[in-house]
Amino acid sequence: PCEQACSRGEVNEPICIRFLKRFVSDRDTKRWKSKLKIKPDTGKKVAIVGGGPAGLTAAWFLRTKGHKTMVFEALPQAGGMMRTGIPEYRLPREILDGEINDMLEIGVEIRTNSPIESVKSLFAEGYDAVFLALGAQSGTKMGIEGEEDPGVLDGITLLKSVNLKEGTVKIAGHVVVVGGGNVAIDVARVSLRKGAKKVTIIYRRTRKEMPAAGEEIEEALKEGIDIQYLTAPRKVKPAGQRVNASGQKVAPSGQLEIECVKMELGEPDKSGRRRPVEVKGSEFKISADLMVAAIGQKPVLFPELDPLLNETGWIAADPVTLECKKKGLFAGGDMETGPASVIKALAAGRKAASAIDRMFGGDGEIDHKFIPEEETLMPREIGRQEAFAYRERAEIPVLPVEKRADNFNLVEQGFTDAAARKESERCLKCQLRLRIKKTPMPF
Ligand SMILES: Cc1cc2nc3c(=O)[nH]c(=O)nc-3n(C[C@H](O)[C@H](O)[C@H](O)COP(=O)(O)OP(=O)(O)OC[C@H]3O[C@@H](n4cnc5c(N)ncnc54)[C@H](O)[C@@H]3O)c2cc1C
Ligand code: SF4
């Protein structure tokens, strides 16, 4: 998200901030570990429900402040959507496992296969605070006729099955994915890698309104995924029966017949995007072997939380502290914001850790400084450089398409040292503008 706000974008194109951060983290020597200071034990205990990025981040920072932290994770492994949702070709699991190990090393405890269904029982067990970070684990239904057919799934279920190697979803033939966000693109690209012969995404608006990241859409198109814009599903049903050699109908064919309709864009809706409206008489049919809805997510909560929900059914928490209406109970991440991003979940974990530490009487200061302030390291001059404004944004190196078909190898390759240096030299050093003296005015 910070890349979209980069000021260099007003000159030509933003700095590849995300990729430069990746460059740095790929070269993490872990030397910082020797400088990490863990505060002495405070005797306070925090239960964290959910081992996704929000929960793990809170656990890390609370532990460094000397509090005991126990993460309860429903699944056999921690990581949340970074493990069950985001495919391995975008986030290698050894990176995730390495970071979780760093947490275990400083004393964060993680109890897997441990779904929690009561906050009261955690307080009764002696925890002084509870941070809920359950995410949004359930895929939203499309609300169309026939979607209960076993050939119709939601994207979260499909990705979890593939990512955790559960083997519960059979992917073959023609897969039709409904939606225009990152989950839809991930489902489509994963399906292609897991045996689909053809993948079609149907999206009810145009490419311009698609919420998925531009580079992900580009890669999906390069991999051969077909995107049908201004198209919405209306109903789905099993498509006839399989016929044996003697011409008898023996069993359902397993195929689906999806009735779609073309859309056009009308007036903007609440989200500011133009509302799609059906074009009369434009119905048409698509046959598919699997239909996957990737149109949204919602949290899976337990009844005790009902009094803490807002009118839209999501948990309500103080925007500054993330504390809920119940004292000592905090909530954040996707379950509070709605499906968002890893960085927003990390921010929620930091916020909760800081607020819980303050509740325990600490200073809430969670940042670590491992190196001297950047100010002392960075040259302060902005010299004039020829054609600086025209320097083009670096290309992100990617694995060739023909090497991706049947594997989950990392698609985006890292920058070389030279490429990273060249790209970072396009930076406007916006922080220095505060130091530029006002031009003296003539008397
Ligand atoms: C397919 C997909 C692709 C995505 N791609 C990106 C991306 O490229 N970049 C990006 O920034 N973001 C991406 N996101 C979004 C990002 O992954 C989420 O916003 C983020 O993981 C939310 O973090 P969280 O900790 O709030 O929840 P989650 O990551 O969902 O973690 C919640 C955890 O809580 C556990 N849990 C739930 N209920 C209980 C319970 N009762 N007891 C114990 N444990 C429980 C769950 O099993 C889960 O492990 C993607 C999401 C998906 C689904
Ligand atoms: S300092 Fe560099 S990276 Fe940050 S907004 Fe300015 S140009 Fe972009």
Side-chain angles (χ1 to χ4, degrees), residues 2-3 5-9 14-17 20 424 426-431 433:
C2 42
E3 197 164 303
C6 169
S7 307
R8 176 79 203 199
I15 302 288
C16 296
I17 300 177
L20 286 172
S424 60
R426 291 175 63 237
C427 175
L428 301 173
K429 299 181 189 162
C430 303
Q431 79 280 19
R433 76 186 184 284

Side-chain angles (χ1 to χ4, degrees), residues 166-180:
E166 292 172 339
T168 45
V169 176
K170 186 170 170 280
I171 301 173
H174 183 198
V175 177
V176 172
V177 185
V178 182

Side-chain angles (χ1 to χ4, degrees), residues 79 95 118 122 162 171 176 230 237 247 259 397 407 410:
I95 296 198
S118 163
L122 292 173
V162 172
I171 301 173
V176 172
L230 291 169
K237 60 176 190 180
E259 186 184 303
N407 62 68
L410 190 59

